[in-house]
Amino acid sequence: MLLPLLWAALWGGSQAQNPLYRLEVQEVVRVPEGLCVLVPCRLRYPKDSWTESTPAYGSWYKDPWTRQWPYYGDPVATNYPNRQVLPSTSDRFQLVVEPQDFSCSLRIREAQVGDSAQYFFRLERGPRVRYSFLESTLTLEVIAQTPEPVLYMPETLEPGRQVTIVCVFNWTFEGCPVPAFSWRGAALSAPGVARSHTHFSVVTLTPRVQDHDTALTCQVDFSRASTERTVQLRVAHAPRELRISTSQADVPAPEPPSSGSQASRLDVREGQSLQLLCTADGWPPATLSWALGNRVLAWSPSLGSRTLALTLPQVKAGDAGRYTCRAENRLGAQSCWLDLAVQSAPDDLRVTASPANRTVLGSLGNGTTLPVLEGQSLRLLCVTDSNPPARLSWALGGRTLSPSQSTDPGVLELVQIRREQQGELTCLAQHPLGSQRVSLHLLVQYPPRLLGPSCSLVEGGLLCSCSAGAQPAPALRWRLGEQLLEGSSSNSSVEVTFSHSGLWANSSVRLGALSPDLTLSCEAQNPHGTRSTALLLQPGEKGLVSKTFSHGILLGTGATTLLFCLTLILMKTLRRKGPRAERVTRRSTILDYINVVPRAGPLAQNRKPKPSRPSQPPPPRAVSPDSKGNQELHFISHSRPGPKPPTQAPEAEPTQEDTHYAMLNFQALRPREAQAPRASYSEYAEVKFY
């Protein structure tokens, strides 16, 4: 506590403020490291024992409260002759004006961080004026970071138009050395264009378009320090260097287009995430936009970012197309394109069918039944949506079919479809990302095939049966004379039954007493045609079919079958020989007449042969009725067309018809001479037909 009192006694002053001594100085002075500062200071003291010629001596001291004996310390600046100052402040701290002029201003050059401290001023003039101004001290703060200069220039430089740029260092250099200014940059045409003043410098340049985004630097140099400021020149120009890129690591960046008129291509798998980036260099900043076709998807505001992103979270097939990136400002516009191809597995696999000379049936889905008439032609087209295109193939019942066109394997042409081609028809689309198939059931339809009728004697009458097969299954009916027997019917003389098994229809008729020359016919019909066969029955004299007639009808049936086979052989032979053979045809309706005239034994001795009807042509050769041991079978086959349904295929047979006559003469078995005649007249043999 005695230190302040001792301080005041030794230095001839008091700690308490003396109104006769007054010092005016800035309490806190901040100076950047390496710079110079002038601290103004004014003082007032009494005129006591000194004259105008009496010299006044002043000194600035550092840290008065940390030194026990300050008067033994060295000042940082003084005008005492031959007085030593602190080595760290030598030549840097300087008392600017003499105290005898009531000034105590202090100049600090090349300030250092270690100079930060508290300073006070002491005055000595004459024998009585000796005073330390401890109540008015100076606090010096040295800032480690030197401030940068400020550049004043237009925000946008017009190319070809001269512009002046000013570099200002905001610091007072009164009483301090003037700093040196320098410029550097690609836009400067030549050195020496800068004009330097006390605290600012001016440069003039003519910017070019290529000077856009180049650096321009203004540097301020002091004796032991320097500071600078760098700016990017903004030279107005239309958008340029427009490019498209991607931000995903797993998606390769598209090749940039070589010019604005070309487009790059990018292949992306369906379901993948994608982000497209559109970047352009232009000033003022261009407005960027993304468009797909004529539809704008995203855009950036004016003076916005130089990059516009378009995000596709999960790429779909509908996202494929041409994406346009456009950049536009007041000086022009530029666009570039990206063709996005979405790789997708086969989708919407479909089949269209078109029969011969008909329109397309439409799109057929999986499991569809495709009916087609036997002998017709069919064209199938299998299409699907995929990228790249899927590999298409056809198979029928597990067997791969050769494509109709090698350039288009999705086309399959079936010419004159046969019944054995019926089955599962499959179109398979194979793709690296997956496969898909469509299976159709090929249903081959055809008109009825008639078997029969065949007749046999049963107890109480004649039993005839008939069968027919077709696709779709046919309907059977009987005609007895002019009477139509439909459905299952039964009366005292006629009994009809019907049954179906798959594609086959079966029917039988039981006949009792018959009228002379009665016709029995069996008819099969489906939407594709009609087939019928007729029998002309001639019963015996007793009203019911006799045993002789039974043998005759059996032989007649056999003869009919044999003649039918011979007719087929004859037709094939005639077709091979020439055009005349083409006249031999077999129509959809077959009418067979069987006339059995038995002549043997006592059963036929009293029976006279009936003359042939006028409507029936006579046989080309007659057998003498007096020939014993013989029986005559007259078979007359007449082909005539049946009713043709409107849905019959165009491949139907020709319409010309002919009448053919044939006679078969069966020789009865002659009894052996060594044997006696039998009462049962065994010359009538029984023939069974399967």
Side-chain angles (χ1 to χ4, degrees):
M1 293 179 65
L2 296 177
L3 184 59
L5 296 177
L6 182 60
W7 180 280
L10 293 175
W11 287 81
S14 173
Q15 185 179 9
Q17 183 175 1
N18 190 336
L20 299 178
Y21 293 88
R22 188 175 183 83
L23 186 140
E24 297 177 1
V25 69
Q26 187 175 348
E27 293 184 3
V28 179
V29 175
R30 295 180 177 86
V31 57
E33 184 180 11
L35 297 190
C36 173
V37 63
L38 177 64
V39 182
C41 179
R42 297 292 297 175
L43 56 81
R44 185 177 61 183
Y45 52 91
K47 189 173 182 180
D48 187 4
S49 304
W50 58 269
T51 63
E52 294 298 329
S53 61
T54 304
Y57 300 102
S59 302
W60 282 95
Y61 289 88
K62 183 180 182 180
D63 298 333
W65 305 108
T66 60
R67 297 178 180 274
Q68 187 175 6
W69 305 104
Y71 59 91
Y72 285 117
D74 296 328
V76 295
T78 183
N79 64 345
Y80 261 109
N82 301 323
R83 176 170 286 188
Q84 186 177 359
V85 297
L86 290 176
S88 60
T89 60
S90 177
D91 297 331
R92 295 191 305 110
F93 282 64
Q94 182 181 5
L95 190 62
V96 177
V97 184
E98 297 293 336
Q100 62 187 14
D101 296 330
F102 301 97
S103 175
C104 55
S105 297
L106 178 64
R107 180 169 55 202
I108 304 172
R109 298 173 56 187
E110 302 173 10
Q112 300 177 4
V113 177
D115 296 335
S116 298
Q118 191 174 22
Y119 297 85
F120 71 94
F121 185 75
R122 177 174 176 76
L123 172 67
E124 297 181 5
R125 190 173 189 180
R128 295 186 60 85
V129 177
R130 297 176 180 271
Y131 189 84
S132 297
F133 296 88
L134 301 178
E135 69 281 0
S136 299
T137 60
L138 167 66
T139 301
L140 180 64
E141 295 181 1
V142 180
I143 303 173
Q145 184 176 4
T146 303
E148 297 179 353
V150 179
L151 291 178
Y152 293 93
M153 58 184 295
E155 182 180 5
T156 299
L157 306 179
E158 298 297 331
R161 182 178 299 179
Q162 192 177 67
V163 64
T164 299
I165 302 174
V166 180
C167 177
V168 178
F169 189 78
N170 293 323
W171 191 256
T172 301
F173 293 101
E174 183 181 357
C176 293
V178 177
F181 287 82
S182 61
W183 296 84
R184 64 179 184 271
L188 299 176
S189 59
V193 296
R195 302 189 305 273
S196 298
H197 299 273
T198 304
H199 61 284
F200 68 93
S201 179
V202 178
V203 67
T204 301
L205 56 87
T206 302
R208 302 162 299 177
V209 174
Q210 56 266 33
D211 294 330
H212 178 72
D213 263 351
T214 61
L216 180 64
T217 302
C218 172
Q219 182 173 331
V220 182
D221 293 315
F222 306 95
S223 58
R224 295 188 180 180
S226 65
T227 182
E228 64 182 28
R229 178 68 177 270
T230 300
V231 294
Q232 303 297 121
L233 298 182
R234 305 299 185 185
V235 182
H237 61 279
R240 62 181 183 179
E241 298 182 8
L242 187 63
R243 55 194 176 274
I244 296 175
S245 61
T246 60
S247 63
Q248 277 77 358
D250 56 343
V251 177
E255 292 292 335
S258 57
S259 66
S261 61
Q262 295 184 359
S264 57
R265 177 183 173 88
L266 179 63
D267 294 329
V268 181
R269 288 190 176 186
E270 188 175 17
Q272 193 172 7
S273 176
L274 178 65
Q275 187 177 50
L276 301 177
L277 303 177
C278 174
T279 305
D281 178 18
W283 192 265
T287 299
L288 303 177
S289 64
W290 275 109
L292 175 59
N294 296 325
R295 181 166 54 97
V296 178
L297 304 178
W299 63 88
S300 66
S302 299
L303 302 178
S305 173
R306 294 177 55 185
T307 301
L308 177 63
L310 177 64
T311 303
L312 303 176
Q314 289 185 340
V315 178
K316 305 181 295 297
D319 295 330
R322 171 162 291 189
Y323 286 79
T324 303
C325 170
R326 179 178 175 86
E328 182 177 5
N329 65 6
R330 61 180 175 86
L331 298 177
Q334 190 179 15
S335 299
C336 64
W337 299 271
L338 170 67
D339 289 333
L340 181 64
V342 181
Q343 296 180 350
S344 58
D347 185 29
D348 192 21
L349 183 64
R350 55 198 179 277
V351 175
T352 57
S354 55
N357 302 326
R358 297 189 185 182
T359 58
V360 178
L361 297 180
S363 181
L364 305 177
N366 192 35
T368 302
T369 298
L370 181 60
V372 61
L373 189 61
E374 183 180 18
Q376 276 190 345
S377 297
L378 185 66
R379 186 177 189 270
L380 299 170
L381 175 62
C382 183
V383 293
T384 183
D385 298 328
S386 63
N387 186 40
R391 185 166 59 90
L392 301 175
S393 62
W394 285 95
L396 178 61
R399 180 174 58 89
T400 302
L401 303 177
S402 299
S404 303
Q405 303 175 9
S406 58
T407 57
D408 191 356
V411 176
L412 178 65
E413 295 183 356
L414 301 177
V415 181
Q416 295 184 351
I417 296 177
R418 302 182 303 276
R419 200 180 311 177
E420 57 268 18
Q421 290 177 313
Q422 177 171 305
E424 186 180 38
L425 189 63
T426 302
C427 173
L428 177 62
Q430 294 177 309
H431 193 274
L433 299 180
S435 300
Q436 198 175 21
R437 66 178 60 207
V438 170
S439 295
L440 309 175
H441 180 66
L442 185 63
L443 182 62
V444 181
Q445 298 183 344
Y446 47 90
R449 268 64 169 173
L450 194 62
L451 298 181
S454 62
C455 300
S456 62
L457 285 175
V458 295
E459 182 179 357
L462 182 67
L463 179 64
C464 297
S465 61
C466 182
S467 298
Q471 176 66 270
L476 279 179
R477 60 183 181 179
W478 293 90
R479 287 184 183 273
L480 185 59
E482 299 296 331
Q483 181 182 4
L484 178 63
L485 305 178
E486 292 183 314
S488 296
S489 62
S490 177
N491 53 40
S492 59
S493 61
V494 178
E495 181 180 353
V496 182
T497 60
F498 293 93
S499 65
H500 287 82
S501 176
L503 300 179
W504 284 87
N506 307 302
S507 180
S508 63
V509 58
R510 180 188 295 271
L511 303 176
L514 300 177
S515 302
D517 300 334
L518 192 62
T519 301
L520 178 66
S521 62
C522 175
E523 182 178 286
Q525 182 179 14
N526 77 348
H528 301 296
T530 302
R531 298 289 186 273
S532 65
T533 301
L535 300 177
L536 179 61
L537 305 177
Q538 292 183 349
E541 295 177 352
K542 296 181 180 181
L544 294 176
V545 179
S546 64
K547 183 177 180 181
T548 304
F549 177 74
S550 173
H551 292 295
I553 197 66
L554 293 176
L555 292 175
T557 304
T560 301
T561 305
L562 179 60
L563 183 59
F564 181 73
C565 296
L566 293 176
T567 302
L568 292 179
I569 295 174
L570 180 62
M571 290 172 64
K572 291 183 179 179
T573 303
L574 292 177
R575 287 176 182 173
R576 294 177 181 176
K577 287 185 177 180
R580 184 177 179 181
E582 295 178 359
R583 299 183 55 196
V584 181
T585 59
R586 184 69 173 175
R587 297 300 302 157
S588 60
T589 302
I590 302 174
L591 180 62
D592 298 327
Y593 298 91
I594 301 177
N595 185 10
V596 180
V597 184
R599 287 179 56 87
L603 293 177
Q605 287 178 0
N606 298 325
R607 181 178 177 87
K608 296 180 180 181
K610 295 182 179 181
S612 300
R613 293 187 178 184
S615 60
Q616 296 175 349
R621 180 180 180 183
V623 180
S624 175
D626 298 333
S627 300
K628 294 183 179 181
N630 298 338
Q631 70 173 12
E632 294 183 61
L633 173 61
H634 299 281
F635 174 78
I636 302 176
S637 174
H638 179 68
S639 298
R640 60 183 176 87
K644 184 176 182 180
T647 59
Q648 191 167 356
E651 290 82 5
E653 297 175 354
T655 58
Q656 72 177 34
E657 55 182 272
D658 293 313
T659 303
H660 308 282
Y661 303 94
M663 182 188 73
L664 297 179
N665 185 7
F666 290 89
Q667 297 293 332
L669 296 177
R670 297 171 182 266
R672 296 181 180 178
E673 296 177 357
Q675 296 178 352
R678 295 182 181 180
S680 60
Y681 303 98
S682 59
E683 63 269 22
Y684 293 95
E686 182 179 1
V687 181
K688 295 183 179 180
F689 295 90
Y690 293 90

